[in-house]
Amino acid sequence: MCGRQALTLPHDAMSQMFGATLANDLPDVPNYNICPTNQVCAVTSDAGVRHVTSMRWGFIPHWYAKPNGGPLLINARSETIAEKPAFKAAVRQRRCLIPATGFYEWTKDETGNRLPWYIHPAAEEALAFAGVWQRWERDGEAHTTCAIVTTLANDRMAELHSRQPVTIAPADYGLWLGEEGHGAATLMTAAPPEQLEFFRVDPAVNSNRASGPELIEPYDAETKTA
């Protein structure tokens, strides 16, 4: 799954990376601890014109009476996304890319302590997560919301978690965004093991209130007190 992420890429760099125009209300970057329900940057395409916009991370199906009217849907499983009522229309009609420079997963030690790991691209400046989005409106309240598509982890990522975000290669941006016809379903697979690297980071990130670049720095448990 993906339950926390980081984005350090400047807005101008995102515009260049995706060939997209920038909205005026994008969330501030860098952000080293993006949590569910926070605003994230997302890339959409309208008739082939790409835009970087702001979306709430946490997909709200149209039938929710209020934003917290059901489970918080931050991830969508690739295996069932085309069947689930919450996502089946979105995966056909409303796909997006969610830029990130990394994300976090947790393991546990022998005493049950949660150990955070930072996963980042081995070579590229940033990742583009496959996402789906939904506009929700009710009683004068409106949110544009999104979820990250996940798939079974490759052998290396499985050391940390059984699932990982689907990442879209630059050559496939157009296909995922619906600019190149059908076939986006073929992209919902795990990235090759060599695409991602990971290392332990400070347990401070266990708090959703933590911030700062030190959150994505390697952590040596033997020389620091957790």
Side-chain angles (χ1 to χ4, degrees):
M1 63 175 294
C2 178
R4 208 84 68 80
Q5 54 182 300
L7 180 62
T8 63
L9 202 65
H11 294 152
D12 288 347
M14 276 187 273
S15 175
Q16 184 175 6
M17 177 177 175
F18 295 103
T21 61
L22 301 172
N24 295 323
D25 62 344
L26 296 177
D28 292 337
V29 288
N31 187 338
Y32 300 92
N33 193 8
I34 301 172
C35 304
T37 74
N38 287 171
Q39 293 297 118
V40 298
C41 294
V43 182
T44 60
S45 181
D46 182 7
V49 179
R50 297 179 187 176
H51 306 272
V52 183
T53 64
S54 179
M55 296 187 185
R56 175 192 187 267
W57 184 20
F59 191 99
I60 307 177
H62 66 83
W63 62 81
Y64 278 21
K66 52 187 178 180
N68 60 351
L72 182 60
L73 305 177
I74 61 171
N75 295 150
R77 297 173 69 95
S78 62
E79 300 89 339
T80 58
I81 193 171
E83 305 164 4
K84 292 291 186 181
F87 301 122
K88 64 181 182 179
V91 76
R92 292 179 175 87
Q93 304 166 11
R94 296 184 301 278
R95 297 188 296 271
C96 63
L97 297 167
I98 300 170
T101 42
F103 63 101
Y104 300 92
E105 289 294 356
W106 280 261
T107 58
K108 290 185 178 180
D109 64 16
E110 61 279 1
T111 61
N113 293 318
R114 298 179 74 229
L115 309 177
W117 298 77
Y118 182 64
I119 302 99
H120 64 96
E124 303 298 328
E125 188 174 11
L127 301 166
F129 295 150
V132 291
W133 65 275
Q134 168 81 38
R135 177 74 173 173
W136 179 90
E137 296 183 57
R138 188 71 63 93
D139 300 328
E141 185 177 4
H143 300 279
T144 302
T145 70
C146 64
I148 294 170
V149 182
T150 67
T151 191
L152 290 173
N154 62 43
D155 290 344
R156 187 153 190 265
M157 282 298 302
E159 297 174 26
L160 302 181
H161 199 278
S162 62
R163 301 191 67 79
Q164 68 181 82
V166 171
T167 56
I168 305 298
D172 295 322
Y173 289 168
L175 183 58
W176 183 255
L177 292 174
E179 299 168 352
E180 300 173 7
H182 301 291
T186 63
L187 304 177
M188 291 190 288
T189 58
E194 64 271 15
Q195 185 194 54
L196 299 174
E197 297 179 347
F198 53 82
F199 51 81
R200 278 279 310 277
V201 291
D202 197 314
V205 78
N206 291 351
S207 169
N208 59 15
R209 295 184 296 274
S211 62
E214 63 275 9
L215 297 181
I216 63 171
E217 295 175 357
Y219 176 80
D220 185 347
E222 295 183 359
T223 60
K224 299 181 181 180
T225 303

